[in-house]
PDB file of all heavy atoms in Angstrom:
ATOM      1  N   PRO A 282      76.647  78.553  68.181  1.00 95.00           N
ATOM      2  CA  PRO A 282      75.483  79.008  68.959  1.00 95.00           C
ATOM      3  C   PRO A 282      74.775  80.212  68.354  1.00 95.00           C
ATOM      4  O   PRO A 282      73.542  80.265  68.349  1.00 95.00           O
ATOM      5  CB  PRO A 282      76.092  79.352  70.325  1.00 95.00           C
ATOM      6  CG  PRO A 282      77.318  78.519  70.418  1.00 95.00           C
ATOM      7  CD  PRO A 282      77.851  78.422  69.032  1.00 95.00           C
ATOM      8  N   GLN A 283      75.534  81.171  67.859  1.00 96.00           N
ATOM      9  CA  GLN A 283      74.915  82.381  67.308  1.00 96.00           C
ATOM     10  C   GLN A 283      74.005  82.047  66.130  1.00 96.00           C
ATOM     11  O   GLN A 283      72.890  82.564  66.018  1.00 96.00           O
ATOM     12  CB  GLN A 283      75.996  83.371  66.870  1.00 96.00           C
ATOM     13  CG  GLN A 283      75.441  84.709  66.404  1.00 96.00           C
ATOM     14  CD  GLN A 283      76.551  85.680  65.998  1.00 96.00           C
ATOM     15  OE1 GLN A 283      77.723  85.328  65.964  1.00 96.00           O
ATOM     16  NE2 GLN A 283      76.161  86.900  65.697  1.00 96.00           N
ATOM     17  N   SER A 284      74.450  81.162  65.271  1.00 96.00           N
ATOM     18  CA  SER A 284      73.638  80.804  64.096  1.00 96.00           C
ATOM     19  C   SER A 284      72.383  80.040  64.506  1.00 96.00           C
ATOM     20  O   SER A 284      71.318  80.206  63.903  1.00 96.00           O
ATOM     21  CB  SER A 284      74.463  79.963  63.108  1.00 96.00           C
ATOM     22  OG  SER A 284      74.582  78.620  63.526  1.00 96.00           O
ATOM     23  N   HIS A 285      72.480  79.199  65.538  1.00 96.00           N
ATOM     24  CA  HIS A 285      71.312  78.442  66.001  1.00 96.00           C
ATOM     25  C   HIS A 285      70.276  79.372  66.627  1.00 96.00           C
ATOM     26  O   HIS A 285      69.067  79.186  66.434  1.00 96.00           O
ATOM     27  CB  HIS A 285      71.734  77.365  67.001  1.00 96.00           C
ATOM     28  CG  HIS A 285      72.740  76.391  66.469  1.00 96.00           C
ATOM     29  ND1 HIS A 285      72.624  75.823  65.221  1.00 96.00           N
ATOM     30  CD2 HIS A 285      73.894  75.903  67.001  1.00 96.00           C
ATOM     31  CE1 HIS A 285      73.664  75.021  65.015  1.00 96.00           C
ATOM     32  NE2 HIS A 285      74.438  75.056  66.076  1.00 96.00           N
ATOM     33  N   ILE A 286      70.734  80.363  67.377  1.00 97.00           N
ATOM     34  CA  ILE A 286      69.823  81.326  68.006  1.00 97.00           C
ATOM     35  C   ILE A 286      69.112  82.167  66.949  1.00 97.00           C
ATOM     36  O   ILE A 286      67.883  82.327  66.983  1.00 97.00           O
ATOM     37  CB  ILE A 286      70.591  82.230  68.992  1.00 97.00           C
ATOM     38  CG1 ILE A 286      71.055  81.416  70.202  1.00 97.00           C
ATOM     39  CG2 ILE A 286      69.729  83.408  69.439  1.00 97.00           C
ATOM     40  CD1 ILE A 286      72.026  82.147  71.110  1.00 97.00           C
ATOM     41  N   ILE A 287      69.866  82.681  65.986  1.00 97.00           N
ATOM     42  CA  ILE A 287      69.279  83.533  64.943  1.00 97.00           C
ATOM     43  C   ILE A 287      68.299  82.730  64.084  1.00 97.00           C
ATOM     44  O   ILE A 287      67.163  83.156  63.849  1.00 97.00           O
ATOM     45  CB  ILE A 287      70.386  84.151  64.069  1.00 97.00           C
ATOM     46  CG1 ILE A 287      71.211  85.149  64.890  1.00 97.00           C
ATOM     47  CG2 ILE A 287      69.780  84.852  62.846  1.00 97.00           C
ATOM     48  CD1 ILE A 287      72.463  85.640  64.180  1.00 97.00           C
ATOM     49  N   SER A 288      68.741  81.564  63.617  1.00 97.00           N
ATOM     50  CA  SER A 288      67.884  80.732  62.759  1.00 97.00           C
ATOM     51  C   SER A 288      66.638  80.281  63.495  1.00 97.00           C
ATOM     52  O   SER A 288      65.524  80.316  62.954  1.00 97.00           O
ATOM     53  CB  SER A 288      68.664  79.512  62.258  1.00 97.00           C
ATOM     54  OG  SER A 288      69.786  79.892  61.501  1.00 97.00           O
ATOM     55  N   GLY A 289      66.808  79.836  64.749  1.00 97.00           N
ATOM     56  CA  GLY A 289      65.672  79.372  65.534  1.00 97.00           C
ATOM     57  C   GLY A 289      64.668  80.483  65.806  1.00 97.00           C
ATOM     58  O   GLY A 289      63.457  80.288  65.656  1.00 97.00           O
ATOM     59  N   GLY A 290      65.165  81.658  66.198  1.00 97.00           N
ATOM     60  CA  GLY A 290      64.275  82.777  66.498  1.00 97.00           C
ATOM     61  C   GLY A 290      63.493  83.244  65.287  1.00 97.00           C
ATOM     62  O   GLY A 290      62.268  83.446  65.368  1.00 97.00           O
ATOM     63  N   LEU A 291      64.158  83.419  64.150  1.00 97.00           N
ATOM     64  CA  LEU A 291      63.469  83.875  62.941  1.00 97.00           C
ATOM     65  C   LEU A 291      62.489  82.824  62.428  1.00 97.00           C
ATOM     66  O   LEU A 291      61.384  83.166  61.973  1.00 97.00           O
ATOM     67  CB  LEU A 291      64.499  84.214  61.854  1.00 97.00           C
ATOM     68  CG  LEU A 291      65.356  85.451  62.120  1.00 97.00           C
ATOM     69  CD1 LEU A 291      66.400  85.630  61.019  1.00 97.00           C
ATOM     70  CD2 LEU A 291      64.488  86.698  62.225  1.00 97.00           C
ATOM     71  N   ALA A 292      62.863  81.549  62.518  1.00 97.00           N
ATOM     72  CA  ALA A 292      61.962  80.480  62.077  1.00 97.00           C
ATOM     73  C   ALA A 292      60.698  80.438  62.934  1.00 97.00           C
ATOM     74  O   ALA A 292      59.588  80.298  62.415  1.00 97.00           O
ATOM     75  CB  ALA A 292      62.687  79.130  62.139  1.00 97.00           C
ATOM     76  N   GLY A 293      60.855  80.591  64.238  1.00 96.00           N
ATOM     77  CA  GLY A 293      59.709  80.576  65.136  1.00 96.00           C
ATOM     78  C   GLY A 293      58.787  81.756  64.922  1.00 96.00           C
ATOM     79  O   GLY A 293      57.557  81.616  64.913  1.00 96.00           O
ATOM     80  N   ALA A 294      59.361  82.946  64.739  1.00 94.00           N
ATOM     81  CA  ALA A 294      58.553  84.156  64.522  1.00 94.00           C
ATOM     82  C   ALA A 294      57.761  84.066  63.227  1.00 94.00           C
ATOM     83  O   ALA A 294      56.560  84.393  63.192  1.00 94.00           O
ATOM     84  CB  ALA A 294      59.464  85.383  64.501  1.00 94.00           C
ATOM     85  N   LEU A 295      58.410  83.612  62.146  1.00 94.00           N
ATOM     86  CA  LEU A 295      57.737  83.495  60.857  1.00 94.00           C
ATOM     87  C   LEU A 295      56.607  82.470  60.924  1.00 94.00           C
ATOM     88  O   LEU A 295      55.487  82.719  60.451  1.00 94.00           O
ATOM     89  CB  LEU A 295      58.744  83.099  59.774  1.00 94.00           C
ATOM     90  CG  LEU A 295      58.167  82.875  58.368  1.00 94.00           C
ATOM     91  CD1 LEU A 295      57.567  84.171  57.826  1.00 94.00           C
ATOM     92  CD2 LEU A 295      59.253  82.358  57.413  1.00 94.00           C
TER      93      LEU A 295
END
Side-chain angles (χ1 to χ4, degrees):
Q283 185 179 6
S284 78
H285 302 315
I286 291 170
I287 293 171
S288 300
L291 291 176
L295 177 63

